[in-house]
Amino acid sequence: QKEVEQDPGPLSVPEGAIVSLNCTYSNSAFQYFMWYRQYSRKGPELLMYTYSSGNKEDGRFTAQVDKSSKYISLFIRDSQPSDSATYLCAMSPWAGGFKTIFGAGTRLFVKA
Amino acid sequence: EPEVTQTPSHQVTQMGQEVILRCVPISNHLYFYWYRQILGQKVEFLVSFYNNEISEKSEIFDDQFSVERPDGSNFTLKIRSTKLEDSAMYFCASRGQISYNEQFFGPGTRLTVL
């Protein structure tokens, strides 16, 4: 079983839709959970990070972590064409990001 | 806004040659990382570096790889004898003291080994 699993998509939605992106993981030692956005031929850009279980909201983005199910989600409200990118989940057992493990990334297309 | 920069943006080399990939982290950051992303695959951790020494490294980071902070601003990744399978995007990242998981990534260097 892979440490981190993420559906690569592609996921295509109309502008204004609510997008749900998800990852599952197997290593119960993961405590820190991140979501990155990566545009084509660019480096990943940190969107949000959370510690342990719970929700975190930042503007149109909401991150959820359910450690009991080993499942994390990123919701994007009122999606825009500029949100079209690859979204990577990432997780780490320790603060500091040592040996962060990334998911494969989900390609999202938001159609105008 | 401060950013991580990397040079060159694209490096083409022959198999067996040595390459050095360069990064300039954000100036007040203390923790530095290298990752690679083979085309179409996931981002993979290579190595983390703090206080002039390697903090942790992955199985990928074998004796062919080394990192160095030769001066106060640059952070380099050296591959001693490149193989075809080293072809990938290499990302440098850095983070500050306070935001433990807020790594800032550079734009990457695309390495092509022929």
Side-chain angles (χ1 to χ4, degrees):
Chain A
Q1 185 181 11
K2 291 181 184 176
E3 273 195 296
V4 178
E5 302 227 33
Q6 184 177 11
D7 187 336
L11 179 62
S12 184
V13 301
E15 183 176 357
I18 296 175
V19 176
S20 172
L21 304 166
N22 311 292
C23 288
T24 59
Y25 62 95
S26 58
N27 187 347
S28 56
F30 289 138
Q31 299 271 27
Y32 296 86
F33 303 93
M34 286 74 72
W35 285 96
Y36 287 85
R37 177 174 61 197
Q38 186 177 24
Y39 292 113
S40 182
R41 298 187 178 273
K42 300 287 187 185
E45 172 195 6
L46 180 68
L47 284 175
M48 301 186 72
Y49 73 89
T50 52
Y51 169 69
S52 195
S53 286
N55 292 2
K56 188 173 184 179
E57 189 173 319
D58 184 1
R60 295 185 295 111
F61 299 90
T62 300
Q64 286 185 353
V65 175
D66 181 350
K67 289 191 71 182
S68 61
S69 303
K70 297 192 179 68
Y71 188 88
I72 70 171
S73 301
L74 178 71
F75 298 96
I76 306 174
R77 288 184 297 282
D78 187 25
S79 55
Q80 304 295 309
S82 58
D83 294 327
S84 298
T86 297
Y87 289 80
L88 312 172
C89 65
M91 44 202 82
S92 174
W94 308 294
F98 295 150
K99 205 179 178 186
T100 300
I101 305 297
F102 284 80
T106 299
R107 287 198 73 186
L108 172 67
F109 295 97
V110 181
K111 298 171 291 186
Chain B
E1 188 173 323
E3 57 183 16
V4 176
T5 59
Q6 290 186 243
T7 53
S9 57
H10 190 189
Q11 173 91 49
V12 181
T13 190
Q14 296 290 325
M15 191 168 55
Q17 295 296 302
E18 174 183 287
V19 295
I20 297 176
L21 310 182
R22 291 184 166 77
C23 169
V24 179
I26 293 172
S27 63
N28 60 348
H29 284 186
L30 300 176
Y31 300 82
F32 313 113
Y33 308 85
W34 282 102
Y35 294 84
R36 79 171 185 192
Q37 186 175 30
I38 294 170
L39 187 63
Q41 298 188 25
K42 63 173 65 176
V43 174
E44 298 174 292
F45 169 84
L46 291 178
V47 66
S48 57
F49 190 87
Y50 170 71
N51 199 25
N52 281 320
E53 60 183 26
I54 290 173
S55 310
E56 185 153 335
K57 58 184 180 179
S58 71
E59 314 77 53
I60 303 167
F61 194 89
D62 61 21
D63 292 344
Q64 293 299 310
F65 292 88
S66 63
V67 289
E68 195 178 31
R69 187 151 163 84
D71 54 43
S73 59
N74 290 282
F75 179 51
T76 62
L77 174 69
K78 182 193 289 186
I79 309 175
R80 268 181 262 284
S81 177
T82 49
K83 307 184 195 66
L84 295 175
E85 55 265 36
D86 293 327
S87 295
M89 281 288 283
Y90 288 81
F91 294 107
C92 172
S94 70
R95 72 166 181 90
Q97 189 86 358
I98 297 172
S99 297
Y100 288 116
N101 288 92
E102 200 159 359
Q103 294 183 40
F104 292 84
F105 280 74
T109 292
R110 178 168 298 280
L111 176 64
T112 302
V113 182
L114 303 175

